[in-house]
Amino acid sequence: KTIALIGAPIEEGSGRRGAAMGPAALRIAGIDTTLAELGHTVVDEGDLRPLPARDLANHPRANNLQMVAAFARALDASVHEAARAGRLPLILGGDHALSMGSVSGMARYAAEIGKPLFVLWLDAHADFNSPETSPSGNMHGMPVAFFCGEAEFAPILPADRPMVDPKNVFQVGIRSVDERERVEIAEHGVNVYDMRAVDETGMARIMHEIIDTVRHADGLLHVSFDVDFLDPDIAPGVGTTVPGGGTFREAHLIMEMLCDSGLVASLDLVELNPFLDDRGKSARILVELTASLFGRRILDRPTRSA
Ligand code: DIR
Ligand code: MN
Ligand code: MN
Ligand code: MN
C-alpha cells in the first residue's frame, strides 16, 4: 500500500493543551519507519497549518469553532485528495474534532466511487454531542454527530456534502456517555458496543459482526482510534482517561482482524497528548497497534470464522 501520513496538530477541540504535539510524538515513536519496514510506501505530507476560519461567527457553545472548522476544511480536502490518488490516508492527531474533516473527506470519496462509507469508532466516548447538548462545549465531543448530519450549527463544510448514515457507524469500547447524548445515539440508530457488550460478547465476535456487515455492503471502512479507548494503565497520554478501558490484547485483536479483512480505507490516530504521557508509552502503543493493522503479525494464520 501507499500510505499518506497527514499531521493534524489540533488541540482546540479539546478542553486542554497538548494534543497539538501528537503528530510529532507519533513520528518520534517511528510511525513512518515501522510502516515502511512492513513493505509499505509511506508519504509524509507533513502537518496541516490552517488559518482560523474567520468567515464563521464565534459560537458560545462550540469552543474554538474557527480553528476546529479550519482543520475540518483542511482535512476534508487533503484526505479526499489522498484517497482519490490511491493513497491510504493516515491522520496523525490531534484531538478528535479532526474527524469532522477526515470522515467528511472519505464520505465524499466513497460517494464518488459509489460505495457506502462505514466508520469504526474506537473510543471511551460516543462523541455524538452538538452545541445544544454538550455539557462542555468542546468540539472533540461532537464529530460523530457532525458527519452524520446532526450538529449543523455553522457552515463548516458545504451543506451538500455527503453524510454518513448513523447506522453505518460502529462504536466499540464506549463507557462514558452524556445524558442527552445517550438519547441521541439511540434515536439515530448508531451501533454501540459498550464495555458491557465487549465483556459479555467478546471482542472477536463483535469484530466479526462489524467486518461481515461492511463486506456484505461492499463498503469502505474508516477507523477512528481515540487513545482513551485503551485502559489508562497502558495508555495514560490522553486528556480524558476513563477507567475500564480496552486491553492491549483486545486492541491488538481488533487490528489484526481489520488487517485480515482488507476493508480499511483510512485511519485516524487521535487524542494523544504527549504532555500527559509516560515517557512515550502511549505513542509507542499506537505505533505498535498501527503496525498490526498494516500487516505485522505474530504468526501467519487464517482468521477463524465466527
Ligand atoms: C464529553 C467528553 N463527552 C464532552 N468527550 C470526549 O465534552 O462532550 N472526550 N470526546 O474525549
Ligand atoms: Mn473521541
Ligand atoms: Mn474519547
Ligand atoms: Mn437529533
Side-chain angles (χ1 to χ4, degrees):
K1 284 196 175 74
T2 300
I3 299 168
L5 301 182
I6 303 172
I10 174 174
E11 60 190 11
E12 288 83 355
S14 69
R16 65 202 304 166
R17 305 285 307 272
M21 297 191 290
L26 290 165
R27 289 192 182 93
I28 293 165
I31 188 104
D32 50 350
T33 49
T34 301
L35 292 169
E37 279 162 17
L38 290 165
H40 302 293
T41 303
V42 181
V43 181
D44 192 337
E45 298 189 3
D47 286 350
L48 298 168
R49 296 230 169 265
L51 295 170
R54 300 267 186 235
D55 57 304
L56 300 178
N58 285 315
H59 190 296
R61 300 298 309 158
N63 304 337
N64 304 314
L65 171 63
Q66 292 182 339
M67 207 58 217
V68 170
F71 271 99
R73 290 170 180 177
L75 272 166
D76 170 64
S78 44
V79 166
H80 176 257
E81 187 182 311
R84 264 215 325 200
R87 300 191 293 269
L88 187 148
L90 197 173
I91 298 88
L92 312 174
D95 74 63
H96 223 161
L98 68 82
S99 300
M100 295 183 179
S102 59
V103 175
S104 295
M106 287 306 291
R108 284 203 288 134
Y109 172 67
E112 283 166 11
I113 64 168
K115 292 190 178 204
L117 182 68
F118 290 81
V119 176
L120 174 59
W121 199 261
L122 301 166
D123 203 323
H125 308 91
D127 293 349
F128 208 94
N129 276 311
S130 63
E132 291 70 42
T133 66
S134 171
S136 65
N138 294 330
M139 294 187 75
H140 72 160
M142 307 182 191
V144 184
F146 178 83
F147 61 66
C148 289
E150 299 289 309
E152 288 298 305
F153 53 91
I156 295 176
L157 292 175
D160 62 353
R161 69 197 165 94
M163 306 294 174
V164 178
D165 185 339
K167 294 178 184 63
N168 287 4
V169 178
F170 294 89
Q171 301 193 318
V172 178
I174 306 301
R175 56 198 188 280
S176 172
V177 183
D178 299 314
E179 212 177 319
R180 295 178 62 188
E181 205 180 20
R182 187 184 309 268
V183 178
E184 288 289 319
I185 52 179
E187 272 181 0
H188 292 90
V190 179
N191 304 283
V192 183
Y193 296 91
D194 64 0
M195 258 318 164
R196 176 171 174 171
V198 172
D199 288 339
E200 289 185 341
T201 309
M203 196 60 89
R205 179 121 169 251
I206 289 171
M207 288 308 298
H208 269 300
E209 283 178 23
I210 295 170
I211 288 166
D212 281 353
T213 304
V214 179
R215 182 172 290 132
H216 288 134
D218 192 23
L220 295 182
L221 182 61
H222 175 89
V223 178
S224 202
F225 193 110
D226 184 324
V227 176
D228 67 34
F229 163 80
L230 296 167
D231 193 87
D233 282 350
I234 59 165
V238 56
T240 51
T241 54
V242 186
T247 64
F248 188 82
R249 283 162 62 168
E250 282 166 337
H252 193 255
L253 178 64
I254 290 171
M255 294 305 183
E256 287 208 1
M257 289 181 74
L258 288 173
C259 179
D260 292 349
S261 80
L263 294 168
V264 175
S266 43
L267 171 68
D268 305 322
L269 299 175
V270 301
E271 295 284 338
L272 176 63
N273 186 330
F275 201 70
L276 304 174
D277 202 5
D278 180 9
R279 294 172 172 260
K281 181 176 170 180
S282 312
R284 282 199 195 89
I285 284 189
L286 283 186
V287 171
E288 291 296 303
L289 292 172
T290 303
S292 297
L293 177 57
F294 287 100
R296 183 190 288 168
R297 48 223 301 115
I298 303 168
L299 296 172
D300 287 318
R301 59 157 65 73
T303 306
R304 292 178 59 240
S305 51

